[in-house]
Amino acid sequence: MKVLVTGSAGQLGVAITRILGQDFEVVALRRTELDITDPDAVLQMARRVRPDVILNCAAYNDVDGAEDDPVTAMAVNGFAVRALATAARESAAVLVHYGTDFVFDGGVEEPYDELAVPAPMGVYGTSKLLGEWFACGAARHYVLRVESLFGGGAEAGDSDARRLGSTLDRMVDAMLAGRPVRGFTDRTVSPSYAPDVVLATRALLEADAPTGLYHCVNTGMATWFEVARFAAVSLQCESLLTPVTTDSVATRAPRPRFCALSNAKLATAGAVMPPWEDAVTRYLAARHDST
Ligand SMILES: NC(=O)c1ccc[n+]([C@@H]2O[C@H](COP(=O)([O-])OP(=O)(O)OC[C@H]3O[C@@H](n4cnc5c(N)ncnc54)[C@H](OP(=O)(O)O)[C@@H]3O)[C@@H](O)[C@H]2O)c1
């Protein structure tokens, strides 16, 4: 299997390149090597590489920044996916695209499943929803919604990847350095451990699972405070952690408060995601081993 990875320097891109690279031919492309907002470049690259699978890890993930720069957010997260879907169709490749829980407004009390109607609260969520729709333009496509992604570079000891975008990575960095950490008690999530997302992606591809939308998160749900406390207890630094509520922090973009996702459909397709506690435990062990 030949795999073309876009946005390969990002958190998920690093994990995908490392893990799938052990068994498959992976052509990993950073933004400087392929800007996905350039439709001609995307098409030319697909013609040159002739991939079996295009894995789109490129994204504009600055949730607050997207409110100020909606054009870039829509270009990268939305319209670029149309070009990737076109390239996938032309090269008879499978397109795997990653979505987000931010397509929901959090106004529920039970985990969202794939049939739940999206209602994004800001530009970022809207742009990602547009990308989901464009991904469907590929004859064979998987749209995998991930959430609160963490651990993309930890096992490789990749400090650059660790710095990227991950709330839990930054919390653990701070705790290990003895700095105080705050965790939201009123934001509920189902975190996604990057290596587990990669294995689920691989399982879907190898099983030739039905194409479409899947929630690709670790099993279970917790508030950010509970996730942080679990890590803090493991690291024996619980005293560094303070519970706070989201209204204590001003952000430009509104955020959904309850965004647990059900991964039952993914499990039915053959990719069973371990509980988030198990994922955090493996993540901390991997970080420990890599230092
Ligand atoms: N991180 C999370 O908590 C989270 C939550 C929900 C969903 N997701 C989704 O999961 C996927 C992977 O996220 P991630 O955390 O791995 O993202 P990330 O660490 O922010 O990496 C995104 C990568 O995309 C690259 N990129 C940006 N614009 C590009 C363009 N025009 N052309 C090519 N590459 C471009 C970035 O390059 P530069 O480094 O040069 O900017 C970066 O390397 C994304 O679809 C994201 O929306 C992530």
Side-chain angles (χ1 to χ4, degrees), residues 7 9-12 31 34-37 57-59 61 76 98-101 124 128 146-149 164:
Q11 190 186 178
L12 187 58
R31 185 218 291 250
L34 178 63
D35 180 340
I36 63 166
T37 62
C57 298
N61 275 334
V76 178
Y98 296 92
T100 172
D101 55 311
Y124 170 75
K128 292 293 293 181
V146 302
E147 169 172 14
S148 306
L149 199 65
L164 295 165

Side-chain angles (χ1 to χ4, degrees), residues 75-129:
V76 178
N77 294 338
F79 295 107
V81 185
R82 182 172 55 184
L84 290 165
T86 302
R89 225 176 27 241
E90 193 193 274
S91 40
V94 180
L95 175 64
V96 181
H97 176 68
Y98 296 92
T100 172
D101 55 311
F102 273 46
V103 295
F104 296 119
D105 64 7
V108 298
E109 291 174 2
E110 294 294 320
Y112 287 101
D113 67 17
E114 289 80 354
L115 295 176
V117 178
M121 299 174 83
V123 172
Y124 170 75
T126 305
S127 68
K128 292 293 293 181
L129 184 59

